[in-house]
Amino acid sequence: MKGKVDRLMAEMTLAEKIGQLNLLPAGEGLVTGAAQATTLAQRLAAGQVGAVFGTKSLASARAMQERAIAGSRLGIPLFFAEDVIHGHRTIFPLPVALACSWDVGLIEKTAAFAAAEASAEGQHVVFSPMIDIARDPRWGRVAESPGEDPLLASRIAVAMTRGLQGPDMLAPGRVAACLKHFVAYGATQSGRDYDNASLAWEDLLGIYLPPFAAGCEAGAACVMASFNAVNKVPMHAHAPLIEGWLRGRNGFDGLVVSDYTGVKELTAHRLGPAPVAVVRALFAGIDMDMVGEDYLRELPTLAEAGIDAPEAGLALSSAAIRDLTDRACRRVLTLKERLGLLDDPFRGLGATGAAPKRQAGRKLARRAAAQSVVLLKNNAVLPLSSKARVALVGPFARDRRNMLGTWSVSGNADDVVSLDEAVAALTGKAPRTAWGVNIVEEPWLEQRLNVHGVTVEHDARSEAELIEEALAVARQADVIVVTVGEAKEHAGESSSCLSPDLPAPHHRLIAALKQTGKPVVVVVFAGRPLALGGAAEVADALLYAWHGGVAGPEGVADILFGAATPSGRLCVTLPAHPGEVPLSYAEEPTGRPYRGHFQKFLTGWLDLPDTARRYPFGFGLGYSEVRYGTPSLSVTVAAADDRVVLTVRVQNAGPREATETVQLYASDPVARITRPARFLIDFQQVTLAAGECREVSFQIDADQFRYPIAPSLEAAEWVRDPGLVQLHVGPNSRDTQSLDLTWLA
Ligand code: BGC
């Protein structure tokens, strides 16, 4: 018996099929201010839209659905999509911040909450999770990413997909996930947004693709292509990666959407004019064309006449193009069927979307914010006593707007409790605050913010006057908490920066405050890992707080005063100097490896004598002292199908509860190609009461040591060599204890 999709496909005209491939923004909705029908309204009336993204209310989505059904001869409904990157109305910490919690259960909960809020407003699909590995802090989209490590990112991809889709995507409060951006968007040249990526196929397979494999395995319904080229082929035309790897090798059977005008941009990539771009994209497996409408414009003619473009090396018959159109349309309809929309076009668009309770969201957001904060240094200053007289200074002391972070499209800065308010609520006493310095001190930054149409809170006084005011407040306090970092527009899409470090005035502010002789607690609010330079040395305590969402400052206050205990661990390496990026703990050794300080003829930089000031991946402190015992292995020589158990005792030797993330890395001393110096193979989070001791065990199997060899993408194979491997267990990627294990053939 034919299914619904087959029946529709049999009845649809070519024009109707092409209409399904059009993915448009909601924009102004159905009418303009002058009450004229918008382009969207016209397209809906003509049956030329498959889906709409960015509707801002249930009522407008419902009105569009009514219009779409009336405009479609066969009554085919739209699906609605939205960018729900780290929360919908309730904004959680930035993804890079949440990843620092290393708590995949928590991440799943935040995704589930966001899904419930979005679905209550009629969304069926969210353009999330963003699972691009990011190792270059210059790239502004580090903010949206799960960090630098493929294993951690893969676990997050699974957690996010589960949180969004649940066990059943059709259950109330769930939405379809869209993994993005496929692929290697984080590997773009010099960290410039939209630039191209040239990388070894082994790196693509071993670093950038695993989170996508994991998200697909978890059942993600949709994938979005990325703007960059990979090894000379723009991703919107990359048939070997989309049809070949994603669908062919990896078995993905969902929908692939373009990114915003990604099909059109193939022309700027110099692949050819619009008809060539359209055929290349459709052939590569891009099923829906977001915003650009090139499919809508070009496909009718292409499907009649075919294409013969020798200058672009492209020829395809009209029949082949009709087949490709069918293939794409079938995938759009299949997603609609999976979303239940072919049975009930108004699914999720009922009059009363059951939104989850905002209070529950705030509670979760506060917990998530506290867990995302990474304590980098503490000279016995923190936690602060609630009786301490606190001076709270710097540009984020009273800030709300920046706390939401980038890609918080449906968030509201009024929902943010600022740090001064959070401290007052927690301690019962308002801290003395001072502005310190403006967030935006350099003309180019100001210009940048103007590009985003943002009005910057600006104090016309000079830096010297502002610092003087901060000092006046600081002199009357027992302890100074100084907030520094970057504005929310400094990180995010199209916000790459040349030098990812703390702005110079922030360094000057910290140095001036240090002169008071009072303890200085530095809190960094940022969207990317910034090189902190001298600030890290000057600080008596240092917290990396990212942009923490609606409850970000409350999470920071909880950590500052010990209402929560710090458990965050870096999901990215913090550089010692901005010039050493891109970087990762997993760099490959060279023939002349760096030995902890610069020496002639060893890998390194003349003008960076010591990278020890880097904060390594996985690093973070707590308020307790956690001690590791000597790890042991169940066997030291194992057969290929053995399961080896590594056990290590961790003891909370301090007076407070501690949450410890026990990290297990491996290295492969003899391989066929260069391998990472070490790579994360597992981790476990344990919460230990004061004095508690626990055995943590990891199951290890030979498959965890497989690695790709790839003279070409098509010829790629995953191999494993018998012999010695090393295991490294500890609290971060640097401070580990090592064990040898030999795998037999
Ligand atoms: C971004 C995507 C986003 C899309 C739709 C693009 O500019 O790259 O991440 O989903 O816009 O808003």
Side-chain angles (χ1 to χ4, degrees):
M1 209 184 82
K2 270 190 177 176
K4 286 196 181 72
V5 171
D6 286 328
R7 284 203 299 275
L8 283 172
M9 286 297 294
E11 281 184 57
M12 286 168 86
T13 63
L14 176 67
E16 286 167 340
K17 289 173 183 167
I18 294 170
Q20 286 300 306
L21 314 187
N22 204 19
L23 171 54
L24 289 184
E28 292 176 287
L30 297 176
V31 287
T32 65
Q36 278 176 348
T38 55
T39 307
L40 175 64
Q42 292 165 24
R43 295 275 189 269
L44 289 172
Q48 291 177 326
V49 190
V52 169
F53 72 99
T55 48
K56 289 286 170 261
S57 74
L58 194 59
S60 76
R62 203 177 316 122
M64 284 179 205
Q65 192 68 302
E66 278 160 8
R67 207 58 85 85
I69 290 164
S72 158
R73 184 177 61 93
L74 299 166
I76 303 175
L78 303 166
F79 70 78
F80 292 96
E82 180 60 293
D83 284 291
V84 177
I85 310 303
H86 51 115
H88 183 54
R89 299 286 168 188
T90 303
I91 301 296
F92 296 106
L94 284 176
V96 70
L98 270 177
C100 289
S101 73
W102 290 55
D103 183 344
V104 287
L106 170 78
I107 293 173
E108 182 172 333
K109 284 196 183 91
T110 63
F113 193 88
E117 279 191 344
S119 105
E121 291 183 21
Q123 304 301 339
H124 305 115
V125 176
V126 297
F127 295 144
S128 179
M130 193 279 211
I131 49 173
D132 298 318
I133 297 293
R135 296 180 166 188
D136 194 330
R138 291 172 296 183
W139 189 49
R141 301 196 84 167
V142 171
E144 296 170 64
S145 92
E148 72 179 53
D149 183 75
L151 180 99
L152 180 58
S154 298
R155 299 229 174 135
I156 290 174
V158 172
M160 289 286 297
T161 304
R162 280 201 196 133
L164 294 168
Q165 296 192 173
D168 172 12
M169 219 159 65
L170 289 179
R174 301 295 185 169
V175 292
C178 184
L179 310 175
K180 74 184 187 185
H181 307 82
F182 190 74
V183 59
Y185 190 18
T188 59
Q189 186 70 37
S190 302
R192 285 188 300 254
D193 210 357
Y194 316 125
D195 211 326
N196 299 317
S198 287
L199 71 176
W201 294 117
E202 284 87 353
D203 287 340
L204 189 77
L205 289 154
I207 300 170
Y208 294 92
L209 287 172
F212 286 91
C216 290
E217 168 113 35
C222 178
V223 169
M224 184 188 291
S226 60
F227 289 123
N228 55 290
V230 168
N231 295 347
K232 313 294 174 207
V233 181
M235 276 312 303
H236 283 72
H238 215 309
L241 273 170
I242 300 176
E243 285 299 318
W245 185 87
L246 181 68
R247 292 189 187 279
R249 283 212 176 192
N250 186 53
F252 176 69
D253 67 351
L255 180 76
V256 176
V257 299
S258 85
D259 202 345
Y260 204 105
T261 63
V263 174
K264 188 182 290 308
E265 290 171 25
L266 291 177
T267 302
H269 274 284
R270 307 223 176 149
L271 254 60
V276 174
V278 164
V279 175
R280 287 269 187 234
L282 201 61
F283 182 80
I286 306 284
D287 303 316
M288 286 190 107
D289 177 10
M290 190 197 292
V291 178
E293 298 211 311
D294 294 79
Y295 281 9
L296 190 71
R297 256 189 310 273
E298 304 294 339
L299 275 177
T301 313
L302 286 164
E304 285 304 321
I307 190 163
D308 186 10
E311 70 288 1
L314 179 66
L316 218 60
S317 68
S318 59
I321 293 173
R322 277 200 296 273
D323 284 349
L324 292 175
T325 307
D326 277 4
R327 180 179 81 175
C329 180
R330 180 177 287 280
R331 289 171 181 162
V332 175
L333 296 179
T334 303
L335 179 62
K336 290 182 178 179
E337 186 178 42
R338 287 182 186 167
L339 290 167
L341 290 165
L342 298 188
D343 292 323
D344 173 11
F346 288 91
R347 194 185 80 78
L349 299 175
T352 48
K357 298 234 173 350
R358 291 302 284 278
Q359 251 343 83
R362 279 210 76 90
K363 214 167 141 201
L364 182 61
R366 183 167 183 157
R367 188 182 134 206
Q371 284 189 235
S372 301
V373 171
V374 185
L375 177 65
L376 295 173
K377 182 177 179 185
N378 188 12
N379 290 346
V381 179
L382 296 179
L384 301 174
S385 150
S386 58
K387 298 199 180 65
R389 287 178 307 155
V390 176
L392 185 55
V393 299
F396 302 99
R398 299 187 286 245
D399 180 81
R400 293 178 211 283
R401 201 182 64 80
N402 293 292
M403 296 298 121
L404 292 181
T406 188
W407 279 114
S408 45
V409 290
S410 306
N412 183 348
D414 293 338
D415 292 340
V416 177
V417 174
S418 58
L419 188 55
D420 61 334
E421 292 167 344
V423 169
L426 201 65
T427 62
K429 179 159 99 243
R432 296 279 314 266
T433 61
W435 185 268
V437 285
N438 290 315
I439 295 175
V440 182
E441 76 299 338
E442 287 138 358
W444 69 267
L445 287 181
E446 209 157 343
Q447 215 175 27
R448 163 99 233 149
L449 293 187
N450 288 338
V451 171
H452 285 276
V454 175
T455 321
V456 184
E457 296 153 80
H458 198 85
D459 196 314
R461 287 174 292 166
S462 69
E463 183 184 315
E465 287 171 305
L466 291 167
I467 290 187
E468 204 35 63
E469 185 199 47
L471 284 172
V473 169
R475 282 190 200 104
Q476 296 166 37
D478 304 320
V479 59
I480 304 160
V481 175
V482 53
T483 64
V484 293
E486 55 181 3
K488 86 192 217 321
E489 290 77 12
H490 293 170
E493 186 174 351
S494 183
S495 299
S496 293
C497 77
L498 205 52
S499 189
D501 52 2
L502 267 189
H506 295 193
H507 281 291
R508 292 194 285 268
L509 173 65
I510 294 169
L513 292 167
K514 184 73 181 174
Q515 293 297 314
T516 62
K518 316 248 166 143
V520 177
V521 179
V522 175
V523 185
V524 183
F525 291 99
R528 56 158 61 75
L530 295 169
L532 300 176
E537 271 121 72
V538 171
D540 295 291
L542 179 59
L543 286 179
Y544 213 93
W546 308 99
H547 294 143
V550 284
E554 290 164 292
V556 170
D558 288 345
I559 297 286
L560 285 173
F561 292 92
T565 160
S567 59
R569 302 289 182 262
L570 291 174
C571 69
V572 278
T573 308
L574 278 197
H577 186 281
E580 60 172 334
V581 303
L583 82 173
S584 156
Y585 80 96
E587 280 157 359
E588 286 158 15
T590 67
R592 295 182 169 189
Y594 175 80
R595 297 203 194 285
H597 59 93
F598 181 75
Q599 259 177 285
K600 207 80 179 152
F601 308 121
L602 295 185
T603 307
W605 292 276
L606 264 181
D607 49 354
L608 185 68
D610 191 352
T611 57
R613 277 157 54 209
R614 276 182 194 172
Y615 286 101
F617 173 82
F619 182 79
L621 302 170
Y623 285 157
S624 221
E625 190 202 339
V626 175
R627 292 193 193 136
Y628 282 67
T630 307
S632 63
L633 286 173
S634 55
V635 292
T636 52
V637 178
D641 56 359
D642 272 356
R643 186 150 276 209
V644 179
V645 181
L646 181 148
T647 308
V648 65
R649 279 172 88 79
V650 282
Q651 188 199 353
N652 179 358
R656 305 171 66 100
E657 187 183 88
T659 297
E660 179 67 5
T661 302
V662 183
Q663 300 164 38
L664 179 61
Y665 297 85
S667 53
D668 188 351
V670 181
R672 300 180 222 186
I673 55 173
T674 56
R675 308 276 338 267
R678 49 182 56 189
F679 45 96
L680 184 70
I681 59 168
D682 206 350
F683 62 90
Q684 276 182 51
Q685 212 160 51
V686 285
T687 296
L688 304 166
E692 191 181 344
C693 189
R694 188 104 55 92
E695 284 210 331
V696 175
S697 298
F698 293 97
Q699 310 256 341
I700 301 163
D701 63 55
D703 270 352
Q704 286 165 296
F705 298 88
R706 277 152 44 87
Y707 61 95
I709 303 261
S712 69
L713 184 60
E714 291 71 22
E717 52 168 333
W718 285 75
V719 299
R720 191 185 67 77
D721 309 316
L724 181 71
V725 294
Q726 277 157 348
L727 299 161
H728 316 277
V729 66
N732 61 63
S733 61
R734 185 190 57 197
D735 305 317
T736 52
Q737 303 180 70
S738 301
L739 294 162
D740 287 350
L741 169 65
T742 302
W743 291 106
L744 298 173

